[in-house]
Amino acid sequence: TIIKSLHSSKRSHVYLVKDSSTSKRFVIKAPSLHFQDDPAYIERFAQEQWIGKRIDSPYVVKITDHKKTRSTLYTVMEFIDGITLESWIRENPKPDIHEVVRIVEGISRGLRAFHRKDMIHQDIKPDNIIIDRQGIPKIIDFGSCYTAGIAEASPFSEHDTVLGTACYGAPETRFQQTHKTNKSDLFSLALVTYEMLTGAMPFGEQLEKLTDQRKLNTLTYQTSLHYNPMIPYWLDGALKKALSPSPSKRHEALSEFIYELKNPNAHYLHKSFTPLVEKNPLFLWQSLTAIEALLLLIILYHYYTA
């Protein structure tokens, strides 16, 4: 029984439903009628269920093997009571850095479950992650997932189609469709981390508007300290490395990125110097005010004791 519509787009429809025999709630994802005559789309929709059944992680939504007679194409998955990471970001404009790192580490564990199966998610973004009531992040969408063996064998595979979301996807997923790596998911995860910490995007609108691989070097990283001066410089260094337009310059693994988010890397501390007025203007103002107050007390003391 359909309870309500949760999401609707030109590619799919998502509903909250109830099993009439058990009263248990699930989520059903159904394909859009706009693509009913598109074999590549239908193949990818069916593949999403196959992918979900292969992944077993507490950080990834579970696909349910609902053994009921079906007359149409749809996917049944567990219902997660929580909010999207997109809503979490809006509700936490000044988040605790440790909490951000905790959530990001959970997402990385979900991604590693895909990578262990030789899959690349390709669409990590705040709208595709739900934070449940226990604070556990769960990846909920596999529609853009890339599986090398299936892509090469299928006659309908969308080899030339750019999947994912332009403003969150790694540059190579648009320009090098046949050379996908786990580092593409690393880029997207780092971008989401940056947005959680700052509420902004590291390249502004440059990434979304990028249409030519030859212009990758024009992407200009804006330090996260510009938006949130409380971020440690070494953490910003880890973000900048993971967000390199060139995959070869990023961390070798998700675990390396998470480690650097939790442990200061001296290389980033000495690589460059950021003036205190830019890094932490509030602390600078408080320090100057305290010094001025101390000087005033000294002057008053000498004035009344002279």
Side-chain angles (χ1 to χ4, degrees):
T1 303
I2 295 178
I3 298 175
K4 64 178 179 179
S5 174
L6 296 175
H7 177 74
S8 182
S9 69
K10 66 177 182 179
R11 293 190 65 84
S12 63
H13 304 283
V14 182
Y15 305 95
L16 175 62
V17 301
K18 181 179 69 174
D19 187 324
S20 301
S21 60
T22 65
S23 294
K24 188 175 181 179
R25 291 187 294 177
F26 296 92
V27 170
I28 279 183
K29 183 176 182 179
S32 170
L33 292 176
H34 295 295
F35 296 91
Q36 61 182 337
D37 297 322
D38 185 338
Y41 169 82
I42 297 300
E43 178 195 56
R44 177 161 288 281
F45 188 92
Q47 179 182 323
E48 186 174 0
Q49 177 170 296
W50 178 85
I51 289 171
K53 287 183 177 181
R54 294 190 68 200
I55 303 297
D56 183 17
S57 168
Y59 302 98
V60 179
V61 65
K62 296 187 183 303
I63 299 298
T64 303
D65 190 13
H66 213 60
K67 297 178 180 179
K68 298 241 182 193
T69 302
R70 302 190 186 197
S71 58
T72 57
L73 181 63
Y74 60 86
T75 300
V76 183
M77 61 192 78
E78 68 171 321
F79 168 66
I80 303 170
D81 187 13
I83 61 173
T84 65
L85 185 58
E86 184 177 30
S87 297
W88 186 94
I89 292 173
R90 287 198 301 267
E91 294 176 8
N92 295 271
K94 296 181 179 179
D96 178 78
I97 293 178
H98 296 289
E99 178 66 4
V100 170
V101 173
R102 184 194 66 79
I103 291 174
V104 171
E105 184 174 14
I107 300 170
S108 75
R109 290 178 179 177
L111 283 174
R112 286 202 293 270
F114 285 90
H115 296 172
R116 284 193 293 269
K117 299 291 185 179
D118 295 322
M119 301 175 185
I120 304 170
H121 188 275
Q122 290 198 126
D123 199 20
I124 290 298
K125 59 182 180 180
D127 203 34
N128 279 345
I129 298 162
I130 288 184
I131 309 295
D132 71 10
R133 296 299 180 185
Q134 287 70 48
I136 299 175
K138 293 178 182 283
I139 300 171
I140 64 170
D141 192 296
F142 322 136
S144 299
C145 194
Y146 176 84
T147 306
I150 294 178
E152 294 166 0
S154 173
F156 299 121
S157 292
E158 301 163 293
H159 292 296
D160 300 320
T161 302
V162 178
L163 300 172
T165 307
C167 58
Y168 288 96
E172 67 271 13
T173 60
R174 274 183 278 173
F175 306 122
Q176 302 173 23
Q177 288 294 296
T178 58
H179 295 85
K180 303 169 186 288
T181 70
N182 296 346
K183 290 187 177 184
S184 300
D185 282 344
L186 167 62
F187 180 96
S188 298
L189 180 61
L191 200 152
V192 168
T193 307
Y194 185 104
E195 185 177 6
M196 291 174 69
L197 289 167
T198 67
M201 302 296 269
F203 303 105
E205 297 181 353
Q206 296 178 67
L207 184 62
E208 187 175 2
K209 294 180 178 179
L210 193 67
T211 57
D212 190 337
Q213 184 179 4
R214 293 170 297 181
K215 295 183 179 180
L216 283 177
N217 58 355
T218 63
L219 288 176
T220 305
Y221 175 82
Q222 174 65 271
T223 173
S224 59
L225 304 174
H226 176 77
Y227 301 104
N228 185 352
M230 303 306 293
I231 295 174
Y233 190 81
W234 51 267
L235 194 150
D236 181 69
L239 289 173
K240 185 176 181 180
K241 180 176 181 179
L243 288 167
S244 172
S246 172
S248 64
K249 295 181 180 180
R250 298 173 199 157
H251 301 84
E252 288 301 318
L254 286 166
S255 56
E256 183 184 346
F257 171 61
I258 297 300
Y259 181 84
E260 289 197 342
L261 291 182
K262 300 166 72 173
N263 300 274
N265 185 330
H267 175 71
Y268 302 137
L269 294 174
H270 297 95
K271 189 173 182 180
S272 181
F273 172 76
T274 300
L276 187 60
V277 67
E278 294 181 14
K279 184 177 180 180
N280 199 332
L282 178 60
F283 177 76
L284 178 63
W285 177 82
Q286 290 174 334
S287 299
L288 291 175
T289 302
I291 292 172
E292 289 179 357
L294 180 60
L295 290 174
L296 181 60
L297 288 174
I298 293 174
I299 292 172
L300 290 174
Y301 173 78
H302 285 290
Y303 177 79
Y304 286 107
T305 58

